[in-house]
Amino acid sequence: FDVPCVRDRGADFNMLAGRGLAAFSQRLLVGRPLSTDTAEVTRFYAQTRRDFRDQPTVDLAMFLLYVWRLEAEPAGVRAALPGFQRLSRDTAYVSQLRHQLFQLQKLQPGQPAPAFALRSAEGHEVTLAELRGKVVYLDFWGTWCKPCLAEMPASNRLKQKFQGRDVVFVYVSVNDAEATWRRVLAEKSLASPNSLHLRAAGTVTDDYQVMAFPSYVLIGRDGKLRQPRAPRPSDEAAATAAIEEALKP
């Protein structure tokens, strides 16, 4: 593998590079789960350094391997962390992985959903606390994200299905220019009486461990997490069932 440059070269390049590194990281596992054997990270590092000719990209590839496995296999990531800390030359990746492990422990069903205070399309601040008493279906998206836009017709249908009930659909736009965001809101007819359109700020994506787009979160009337990774709108039966269950007394 020859990776001549790892500096920022634009969104498209970064996306393709990220996908390539993630694919390589997954190849290390050959379709099997992470082991809790603490020696595994040493073997992975040796292989990655050979393949990447010991370039700085090695640490990024290893970081991506563990980040993408974090939700499904936290025990394996936790076992690898001491070795990753010892072998990585980039302390930023070590700190980020440790932080994401810590955050994941807080993002479990029944735990309080992370608080937020975000600006709406109407220009006022919306907090999670003021939505208490309603089921909240959070949608982290971006106008630049094709899969996000592909979900919008199904999202509109889901909103219509729960019109007039104690459910609010909260769309959190990430990394969007305001003018583009407002234009897409109008073009896709996303405004509705039971939806709020907010712009991400501060640590909200970190707090909710948003690592892919779109991402969905279901929060109960009591402000506690029901499903930290909720079904997407296009999975209509599952999304409907999850919201109906959350609406039950």
Side-chain angles (χ1 to χ4, degrees):
F1 290 83
D2 215 345
V3 184
C5 181
V6 294
R7 67 180 182 274
D8 191 340
R9 291 175 58 181
D12 290 340
F13 175 87
N14 291 344
M15 180 178 67
L16 290 172
R19 285 178 178 173
L21 288 170
F24 170 79
S25 298
Q26 297 305 312
R27 188 169 68 83
L28 288 173
L29 290 165
V30 198
R32 63 180 177 79
L34 287 172
S35 169
T36 53
D37 176 5
T38 56
E40 183 177 68
V41 65
T42 303
R43 295 193 296 270
F44 284 171
Y45 249 103
Q47 180 64 51
T48 306
R49 283 179 173 150
R50 285 194 295 271
D51 288 345
F52 281 87
R53 302 175 190 175
D54 207 20
Q55 296 185 59
T57 324
V58 166
D59 291 326
L60 176 56
M62 292 297 296
F63 172 73
L64 287 171
L65 167 66
Y66 293 117
V67 163
W68 285 104
R69 292 281 175 158
L70 188 56
E71 286 187 27
E73 302 173 63
V77 177
R78 197 171 291 110
L81 184 58
F84 182 64
Q85 182 172 343
R86 174 172 50 84
L87 295 165
S88 176
R89 298 168 183 168
D90 193 322
T91 57
Y93 291 134
V94 175
S95 297
Q96 181 65 14
L97 186 59
R98 186 187 298 112
H99 175 70
Q100 290 188 202
L101 262 171
F102 175 73
Q103 286 295 110
L104 185 65
Q105 292 173 356
K106 299 192 295 183
L107 279 181
Q108 299 299 319
Q111 293 295 313
F116 59 74
L118 303 174
R119 191 68 56 184
S120 74
E122 291 73 34
H124 61 265
E125 186 179 80
V126 174
T127 67
L128 179 62
E130 69 191 62
L131 302 177
R132 198 177 181 90
K134 292 181 180 290
V135 172
V136 177
Y137 185 82
L138 269 179
D139 178 342
F140 290 94
W141 73 294
T143 63
W144 43 267
C145 165
K146 290 182 180 178
C148 301
L149 296 178
E151 287 289 329
M152 290 309 176
S155 185
N156 281 340
R157 291 193 298 272
L158 193 63
K159 283 188 297 185
Q160 290 169 5
K161 182 176 289 190
F162 288 96
Q163 190 83 35
R165 302 180 68 185
D166 285 337
V167 184
V168 59
F169 293 81
V170 179
Y171 298 81
V172 180
S173 166
V174 181
N175 292 337
D176 272 323
E178 184 168 359
T180 304
W181 172 58
R182 292 186 178 279
R183 176 176 55 78
V184 172
L185 290 183
E187 288 177 354
K188 300 293 182 182
S189 302
L190 297 181
S192 70
N194 60 344
S195 68
L196 292 167
H197 295 276
L198 314 178
R199 301 192 71 200
T203 61
V204 65
T205 53
D206 185 40
D207 292 342
Y208 281 89
Q209 288 290 280
V210 179
M211 291 180 279
F213 294 89
S215 284
Y216 303 92
V217 181
L218 189 63
I219 302 169
R221 297 174 187 266
D222 57 1
K224 294 181 179 180
L225 292 163
R226 299 278 305 197
Q227 294 191 22
R229 295 295 176 259
R232 57 180 57 203
S234 58
D235 190 356
E236 189 172 346
T240 299
I243 295 172
E244 289 286 7
E245 183 64 27
L247 282 167
K248 290 180 179 177

